[in-house]
Amino acid sequence: MPSLITPKAAAANETMSHEYVLGIDVGGTDVKVGLFDYEGQIVASDRTPTPSLGTPIAVFEHALRFGNNALGAEKTATSKDHCQITAVGLAVPGVLDQATCQLKEVVNLPGWLNVPLLDQMQAQTGLPCAVLNDANAAALAEHAMRNLGHQSLGLVTLGTGIGCGLVLGGRPHGGDHGCAGELGHIAIDFGDAAWPCTCGSRGHLETYAGAAGVQRRLKDRIADGVAANEPADITPREIARRAEAGDPDCIATIRETAAYVGRAIGMLCQNVDPAVVLLGGAMTFGGPDRPTGRKFLDDVIAEVRATTLVQVGTQVTIDFASLKNNAGMIGAAKFASLAAQIDHDAHH
């Protein structure tokens, strides 16, 4: 991971190599915490079930306790006398109000709605803090890894739902209402028979190209439905395996999914014109490691080029994401380091 702080700031602070950033990534299942140095190297990490912590304050207490313990171990191991945590970053799922740092919509995090997360975290830690959406945190981490500077990046996550983190001009972009990058809720079918979406609307990308939509389309494609000896729902992983073995229905379903995803990315590219768009999440049909995944990516790229201006579709780089499950934690730390830098500049 590249440096979390600018060379200018590092030169201005002789003890910067002894300073650390804490990144927290909260999900419905786990809370991931990482302690990073200012070269971007992870010093220690922890994963704890979210329900065992529960409230935001409990999460902050846990993260700070872990960070301080890890810092003590780092100080002993390196004989550094001035180790300290200088910033804390938090990545959270759901719709985050940028102005108040409150979640306005979130699934599987009871007690987190309308909580002033930034205020609570700063009161708990006494440090410069930053809060951002988890998709944007992951996008920021991928952006930093590629040293994209002021260029823009979109990270499209494919799974049960479809999300998109955005970094525009080198900064994460959540939008005025916390809904920027909700690619899963772009309408792709405006007909009367458009499938209903879980959000209450109809015809959205997530309905057709999220995991349940992929399974439904495969069932519809099989002439007599799923055979009696088949599981009720063939998972996307199994669809990818069967496609690789030559199953024509699975191959066609994956190609159709690529077309849906490619058209949505084309809309994103035509509006935002990013330098890079990445595909991540659990449903990339094998990703870069499997022929089916690589073919899926090729089909997405072809659809983007077919549906955008040549200056857009031929210049955007579309590839698979690299950082996987650690991306949110890394991005939270990166965003915190930016907040600390702004705070440092404001006082000097």
Side-chain angles (χ1 to χ4, degrees):
M1 182 182 170
S3 175
L4 287 173
I5 200 160
T6 64
K8 179 180 179 182
N13 191 331
E14 295 179 358
T15 65
M16 192 60 68
S17 61
H18 296 182
E19 297 183 359
Y20 299 81
V21 185
L22 202 57
I24 310 167
D25 182 15
V26 178
T29 302
D30 292 317
V31 173
K32 295 187 283 290
V33 185
L35 183 70
F36 298 83
D37 64 23
Y38 269 81
E39 295 303 314
Q41 300 301 311
I42 188 164
V43 174
S45 64
D46 175 77
R47 179 191 294 256
T48 302
T50 305
S52 69
L53 296 172
T55 66
I57 286 180
V59 167
F60 304 149
E61 288 176 344
H62 163 77
L64 198 59
R65 184 165 55 249
F66 163 79
N68 286 327
N69 288 340
L71 199 64
E74 173 74 358
K75 180 178 178 180
T76 300
T78 60
S79 300
K80 293 176 179 176
D81 294 328
H82 303 291
C83 293
Q84 59 179 325
I85 298 171
T86 58
V88 183
L90 174 69
V92 289
V95 176
L96 180 69
D97 185 313
Q98 297 291 120
T100 65
C101 287
Q102 296 180 19
L103 283 169
K104 296 304 180 181
E105 183 178 322
V106 67
V107 178
N108 297 325
L109 284 180
W112 284 68
L113 276 178
N114 299 314
V115 174
L117 297 172
L118 182 62
D119 291 344
Q120 283 196 2
M121 189 161 57
Q122 288 183 157
Q124 195 75 27
T125 65
L127 296 169
C129 294
V131 183
L132 77 169
N133 169 268
D134 57 355
N136 288 339
L140 186 62
E142 296 281 355
H143 183 278
M145 190 185 76
R146 288 164 176 77
N147 289 307
L148 290 177
H150 293 293
Q151 291 182 298
S152 297
L153 173 146
L155 171 60
V156 179
T157 52
L158 305 171
T160 302
I162 295 178
C164 179
L166 293 174
V167 177
L168 304 185
R171 299 282 298 182
H173 179 70
D176 289 344
H177 308 100
C179 293
E182 287 288 354
L183 204 65
H185 296 285
I186 285 180
I188 60 169
D189 187 342
F190 296 91
D192 294 338
W195 293 355
C197 181
T198 54
C199 73
S201 189
R202 304 179 70 85
H204 288 179
L205 174 68
E206 186 170 293
T207 308
Y208 292 86
V214 172
Q215 293 168 328
R216 177 177 174 179
R217 286 189 291 103
L218 176 61
K219 289 181 185 179
D220 289 349
R221 191 176 290 277
I222 298 172
D224 298 319
V226 179
N229 62 344
E230 294 280 14
D233 291 312
I234 303 174
T235 66
R237 186 187 297 263
E238 176 65 9
I239 292 172
R241 189 194 68 77
R242 294 186 185 193
E244 208 151 295
D247 184 310
D249 290 319
C250 290
I251 291 171
T253 299
I254 293 174
R255 295 205 69 178
E256 187 178 51
T257 303
Y260 286 136
V261 172
R263 289 168 198 166
I265 291 175
M267 295 179 203
L268 174 71
C269 289
Q270 199 59 64
N271 282 278
V272 176
D273 192 19
V276 177
V277 174
L278 302 175
L279 300 180
M283 201 181 68
T284 56
F285 303 104
D289 300 324
R290 305 299 307 173
T292 300
R294 295 192 292 272
K295 181 65 169 63
F296 174 70
L297 178 65
D298 289 342
D299 287 343
V300 168
I301 293 171
E303 197 67 31
V304 172
R305 290 179 176 172
T307 56
T308 57
L309 290 173
V310 65
Q311 296 91 340
V312 175
T314 60
Q315 295 195 62
V316 62
T317 297
I318 302 176
D319 204 348
F320 290 111
S322 304
L323 294 173
K324 299 182 180 178
N325 291 333
N326 284 334
M329 182 176 67
I330 294 170
K334 170 68 177 177
F335 197 49
S337 74
L338 294 174
Q341 179 60 41
I342 291 170
D343 184 73
H344 177 272
D345 292 346
H347 290 88
H348 293 82

